[in-house]
Amino acid sequence: MSKAQYYCASSLDGFIAEADDTLEWLLKYRGSFDGERVEPAEGAYERFYEGVGAVVMGSVTYEFILDEPSLAGEWPYKGKPAWVLTSRDLPVPDGEGVDVRMRDASVSDLYDDMIASAGERDLWVIGGGNVASQFADEGLLDELLLTVVPVVLGTGKPVFDRRVPGGPMQLTGTSVFDSGMVELRYEIAH
């Protein structure tokens, strides 16, 4: 059965973006670590992405992706339905395999369709923290996969916008990467 997974990177102090929504702290991060049980950071995203059948994001994240220079105008989620939670009219990229679905509705109203669109794979809650909080508020978020980057921002956009309901999250695994980043995997209590 498909799961809703919030997969993101965070600073040590719990921010997924700076206050102005920029990600330079992450995109330009270069670190290293040589210790026991270290995994290569190279390929970790690709391994996660293989299990993704559909994605969901808010309008700010969507606009960031559209404007990201490193993508050179290429839609990065070709072949996967991409749900964008928005009340605004936003441009939709052209091209084969692009399936962007703009919706002005609650997560609970869209959830069954989003999960169904993922097929046998998982639904990736890309972000931001408000979208992840909407899923958590409705008891629809199954896992948090948080890659912690050893950078302190001091302020910014938090991993979640508000307290996650339910009991504490259950740690299900960790990965230490040769980049100095650490991935924490949690099951969300419902």
Side-chain angles (χ1 to χ4, degrees):
M1 185 170 153
S2 298
K3 298 176 286 200
Q5 299 175 305
Y6 181 25
Y7 176 79
C8 65
S10 168
S11 64
L12 278 174
D13 51 348
F15 298 108
I16 58 173
E18 296 206 44
D20 63 359
D21 294 311
T22 58
L23 295 176
E24 294 300 310
W25 62 274
L26 173 61
L27 300 175
K28 292 188 176 183
Y29 172 78
R30 299 292 176 261
S32 64
F33 176 69
D34 184 24
E36 293 182 34
R37 297 181 295 162
V38 173
E39 299 178 27
E42 184 75 27
Y45 169 79
E46 291 77 11
R47 287 188 296 276
F48 164 78
Y49 192 67
E50 284 176 16
V52 172
V55 301
V56 58
M57 66 193 82
S59 60
V60 172
T61 299
Y62 177 72
E63 288 176 308
F64 175 84
I65 292 167
L66 290 181
D67 294 339
E68 176 53 39
S70 67
L71 297 175
E74 285 292 314
W75 182 244
Y77 310 113
K78 286 183 180 174
K80 298 182 190 301
W83 298 79
V84 180
L85 306 178
T86 185
S87 60
R88 300 182 288 138
D89 288 329
L90 298 170
V92 176
D94 294 325
E96 189 174 322
V98 175
D99 181 2
V100 175
R101 304 171 186 196
M102 303 285 176
R103 297 294 189 273
D104 182 7
S106 71
V107 167
S108 59
D109 289 342
L110 298 172
Y111 180 78
D112 289 340
D113 291 336
M114 289 187 287
I115 285 292
S117 75
E120 297 296 315
R121 296 184 176 168
D122 295 320
L123 176 65
W124 176 14
V125 179
I126 295 177
N130 181 274
V131 172
S133 290
Q134 290 177 52
F135 272 82
D137 288 347
E138 297 296 328
L140 300 173
L141 188 61
D142 300 302
E143 291 181 321
L144 170 63
L145 291 85
L146 184 72
T147 302
V148 179
V149 182
V151 171
V152 175
L153 298 178
T155 187
K157 305 292 174 112
V159 174
F160 287 96
D161 277 6
R162 53 197 167 271
R163 179 184 291 258
V164 174
M169 296 179 196
Q170 177 65 45
L171 182 68
T172 60
T174 61
S175 297
V176 178
F177 297 118
D178 58 3
S179 64
M181 297 180 192
V182 177
E183 182 183 85
L184 305 170
R185 292 180 297 280
Y186 293 98
E187 184 177 280
I188 309 290
H190 294 285

